Amino acid sequence: MENRSFYNEILTEHNMRPDYKHDIENPDYELEGVNPSCGDDIILKLKVDDNGIITDGAFTGDGCAISQASADIMLGIIIGKSKDEALKYGDIFFRMIKGEATEDEIDSLEEASVLRDISHMPARVKAHPGGDVRG
Amino acid sequence: MPDYKKDFPLLVKEPTIYLDNAATSQKPECVLEAEKGFYVNHNANPLRGFYPLSMEATDIYENARKKVQQFINAKSEREIIFTRNTTESINLVAYSYGLSNIKKGDEIVVSIMEHHSNMLPWQMVARNTGAELKYLECEADGSVSEETIEKVITDKTKLVACGHVSNVLGRVNPIDKIIKRAHDYGAVVVIDAAQSAPHMGIDVSAMDADFLAFSGHKMFGPMGIGVLYGKEKLLNAMPPFLTGGEMIESVTREGAKYAELPHKFEAGTVNAAGAAGLAAAIDFIEKIGFDVMEEREAALTAMAMEGLKAIPHVKILGSENPSEHTGIITFVIDDVHPHDVSAILEADGIDVRAGHHCAQPLLAHLGVRSATRASIMYYNTEEEIKALIDSAATVRKRMGYGE
Ligand SMILES: Cc1ncc(COP(=O)(O)O)c(C=O)c1O
């Protein structure tokens, strides 16, 4: 453990040098996620064209490495996809971190599959999207 | 050094390095035995029956009250109300005293350092009465100056709520000065002693606090038993907080005549086993001695602060001086989120707390979103503190940063 990264390198890379951490103007969708255990706040913005395709997306705000990398990797997956496909990936992601997704589903998440390990960290799963860890 | 852990079954069994003592302390065998012993040997509903078992249960419960009275040097047992915890104690004061004594145009002063438990009830009182809420600010090192106290507590102030020791900074607040100033202007003072009661002797009479609250579970006692101390004169004039069984003298179709203190504020079946456990915890503290505990905790805190401070990119909140931390060390590591810090410490077998510590306004005031907190008890050891320092020193590297 000592000289290796604590998390998978893909995760720490996305945390340190995110591709999609910036603001975008005139988004079509804006969503705020608050983590009650640390007061973190992530704002996700998306642009969707007339055909329902996500043409651009970005996030701002603070969070732990897992939340930052999740947002960054998932944006990479869903940009260019339709809203329905994006929702499907989102659903697989949630099931993956709860340890409920199949291997094929996890493979379909490409890089995001590195986050599967957080399903072994129950406190993390709870503290993350939709979680309810109190302080 | 004596093996202090041997008194704590969980610490004997579990190899974990427990440094979340400010959240709740571990429980010694004698406390577990006292709680269990109540149910095994004396279980009956206290204060209700006249048969011997119920009288025994009543005696155990009331003796625990006497023990608490002596522990904090209250003038009378009638000034000791058993609650579930600090939060309930403070809510009792807010709903009962606050709502009936505070009016529009009055001011309530709350320190910015407060745990949400000693802040939200006062926000509620201000909202419901139209009183104004003012904050007593602190400096970055956690100190509160005399000028600040004098500026915010005025003839408009009706109530001041302040922690004895902050659960984030660990610093002892100048409550003597705050209480003196408040009393000069006729205001009452509510002291949150949740973080001081486990670590230092408290003398409510010398302190002259009007109300003081603490939790059993943070001072080696069981969960589910807490204390509210209140001056008899104030408690007598207050309406009950909860109504129902056990807090009445007589009830008619029209209403009720309430019981005398302290039972007026203890509606429903009480936590007698918890009270027995708390009494055992007080005996335990008195056997070890606060002087011994304080000396151990001061030495471990100094060691931890020195070690953590020497790590590049680690910053400790509050005073530079370890003697002003009461065993609480809250820190941040540049670029690393506290949840990641705690995940790494966890992986090394160290239990700490990460988050906003139920003190979001304080963290905002200090300019941090969240932080990691290690909190020390006398039973921790030098080896455990060394493990904390060693693990903290690897955090940035393990998150992919150079150093
Ligand atoms: C300073 C302070 N006040 C109040 C509380 C609340 O205590 P409890 O949860 O036992 O009511 C705590 C502990 O969490 C605390 O540290």
Side-chain angles (χ1 to χ4, degrees):
Chain A
M1 199 41 91
E2 193 69 345
N3 287 316
R4 278 206 303 120
S5 290
F6 178 68
Y7 297 116
N8 178 298
E9 247 114 292
I10 294 174
L11 193 155
T12 54
E13 259 315 300
H14 279 280
N15 176 49
M16 288 188 295
R17 284 174 277 277
D19 299 322
Y20 300 103
K21 186 167 182 174
H22 55 83
D23 201 15
I24 44 179
E25 281 180 21
N26 307 318
D28 298 302
Y29 291 92
E30 183 172 333
L31 289 155
E32 187 176 7
V34 177
N35 177 342
S37 88
C38 48
D40 283 344
D41 208 353
I42 288 194
I43 295 170
L44 176 71
K45 292 183 180 176
L46 297 174
K47 273 184 174 301
V48 179
D49 71 11
D50 294 341
N51 303 318
I53 304 292
I54 298 166
T55 55
D56 197 8
F59 73 101
T60 51
D62 284 320
C64 68
I66 293 172
S67 75
Q68 298 277 297
S70 308
D72 203 51
I73 296 173
M74 288 307 283
L75 278 165
I77 293 175
I78 65 166
I79 292 172
K81 304 254 168 37
S82 71
K83 258 187 353 193
D84 287 346
E85 281 175 293
L87 286 170
K88 192 190 77 191
Y89 285 116
D91 175 59
I92 296 175
F93 182 86
F94 276 116
R95 282 188 290 110
M96 175 182 75
I97 64 173
K98 287 194 247 156
E100 294 165 1
T102 67
E103 284 303 315
D104 283 351
E105 285 176 328
I106 293 174
D107 283 347
S108 76
L109 289 180
E110 302 168 30
E111 269 193 346
S113 64
V114 302
L115 290 155
R116 67 185 301 170
D117 288 340
I118 64 172
S119 69
H120 307 309
M121 304 163 79
R124 285 355 233 359
V125 174
K126 271 194 148 182
H128 282 285
D132 64 348
V133 170
R134 295 170 311 136
Chain B
M1 179 200 119
D3 177 14
Y4 289 117
K5 287 192 176 162
K6 69 171 185 347
D7 295 327
F8 296 82
L10 183 140
L11 294 175
V12 170
K13 188 170 94 348
E14 281 279 328
T16 190
I17 297 177
Y18 189 73
L19 288 172
D20 196 17
N21 293 289
T24 197
S25 73
Q26 295 302 334
K27 322 299 174 201
E29 181 82 41
C30 58
V31 167
L32 305 175
E33 284 303 318
E35 195 170 25
K36 186 174 169 202
F38 176 84
Y39 289 120
V40 173
N41 303 312
H42 313 286
N43 183 53
N45 203 319
L47 311 159
R48 291 196 181 168
F50 292 108
Y51 50 92
L53 208 50
S54 177
M55 309 276 272
E56 265 169 59
T58 305
D59 283 348
I60 289 174
Y61 186 64
E62 293 303 326
N63 285 339
R65 193 189 310 276
K66 243 175 256 160
K67 176 111 10 196
V68 172
Q69 179 217 331
Q70 287 156 7
F71 183 61
I72 61 172
N73 195 30
K75 292 193 178 70
S76 151
E77 290 146 55
R78 291 185 296 279
E79 299 183 317
I80 306 297
I81 316 290
F82 282 126
T83 61
R84 280 190 305 140
N85 48 39
T86 306
T87 305
E88 187 175 297
S89 297
I90 295 170
N91 273 275
L92 189 163
V93 181
Y95 278 93
S96 172
Y97 182 88
L99 291 182
S100 40
N101 289 281
I102 292 170
K103 306 201 169 38
K104 196 170 163 62
D106 292 344
E107 289 179 2
I108 302 171
V109 172
V110 176
S111 114
I112 195 66
M113 262 178 267
E114 294 319 291
H115 187 280
H116 296 163
S117 294
N118 199 24
M119 187 174 278
L120 300 190
W122 307 117
Q123 292 181 352
M124 179 282 293
V125 172
R127 246 189 340 265
N128 280 278
T129 59
E132 195 181 336
L133 195 62
K134 296 231 160 162
Y135 287 101
L136 175 67
E137 311 281 340
C138 67
E139 306 301 317
D141 65 0
S143 62
V144 179
S145 73
E146 226 157 309
E147 295 92 278
T148 314
I149 296 171
E150 282 166 18
K151 217 161 108 201
V152 72
I153 302 176
T154 67
D155 54 4
K156 284 204 168 122
T157 310
K158 285 289 169 314
L159 184 142
V160 180
C162 185
H164 193 181
V165 168
S166 149
N167 66 312
V168 173
L169 303 172
R171 190 174 185 138
V172 178
N173 281 317
I175 54 168
D176 289 346
K177 292 203 177 92
I178 291 167
I179 291 172
K180 167 97 180 41
R181 174 82 184 179
H183 286 174
D184 283 349
Y185 287 93
V188 301
V189 183
V190 182
I191 298 292
D192 175 351
Q195 292 299 344
S196 56
H199 299 283
M200 59 193 71
I202 288 178
D203 182 334
V204 287
S205 298
M207 192 190 274
D208 202 20
D210 299 289
F211 298 100
L212 179 136
F214 57 95
S215 300
H217 72 91
K218 291 183 197 281
M219 47 177 284
F220 315 111
M223 295 187 182
I225 187 83
V227 173
L228 172 67
Y229 158 82
K231 281 185 182 160
E232 189 167 349
K233 199 171 80 190
L234 294 170
L235 292 173
N236 255 330
M238 283 157 56
F241 172 38
L242 303 172
T243 55
E246 222 140 8
M247 49 76 68
I248 47 91
E249 228 154 61
S250 61
V251 178
T252 60
R253 282 180 185 238
E254 288 72 38
K257 182 166 178 343
Y258 299 124
E260 297 284 311
L261 288 177
H263 304 110
K264 176 169 97 177
F265 289 106
E266 296 179 355
T269 298
V270 298
N271 183 3
L278 179 59
I282 292 172
D283 284 337
F284 179 79
I285 288 173
E286 286 170 351
K287 196 179 90 211
I288 305 269
F290 271 134
D291 49 342
V292 171
M293 292 186 188
E294 281 179 69
E295 194 184 320
R296 290 273 321 139
E297 288 161 9
L300 294 170
T301 307
M303 176 183 170
M305 281 182 64
E306 201 174 304
L308 290 172
K309 256 197 278 189
I311 304 169
H313 301 284
V314 173
K315 291 185 185 67
I316 297 171
L317 304 188
S319 170
E320 289 278 316
N321 184 348
S323 71
E324 292 173 333
H325 276 266
T326 323
I328 291 174
I329 305 167
T330 303
F331 60 98
V332 291
I333 301 183
D334 288 343
D335 306 316
V336 185
H337 192 278
H339 276 184
D340 296 316
V341 174
S342 75
I344 289 174
L345 296 180
E346 248 164 70
D348 292 347
I350 302 165
D351 308 330
V352 293
R353 176 87 179 269
H356 53 57
H357 310 292
C358 302
Q360 276 180 312
L362 171 62
L363 292 196
H365 179 64
L366 298 173
V368 290
R369 289 188 77 86
S370 61
T372 305
R373 178 184 73 189
S375 50
I376 293 166
M377 205 44 114
Y378 78 101
Y379 48 58
N380 288 119
T381 63
E382 272 88 359
E383 294 77 63
E384 291 177 327
I385 301 301
K386 183 165 185 312
L388 167 73
I389 297 165
D390 289 349
S391 180
T394 67
V395 165
R396 278 179 56 90
K397 209 181 247 165
R398 285 154 85 180
M399 288 305 294
Y401 296 95
E403 266 307 325

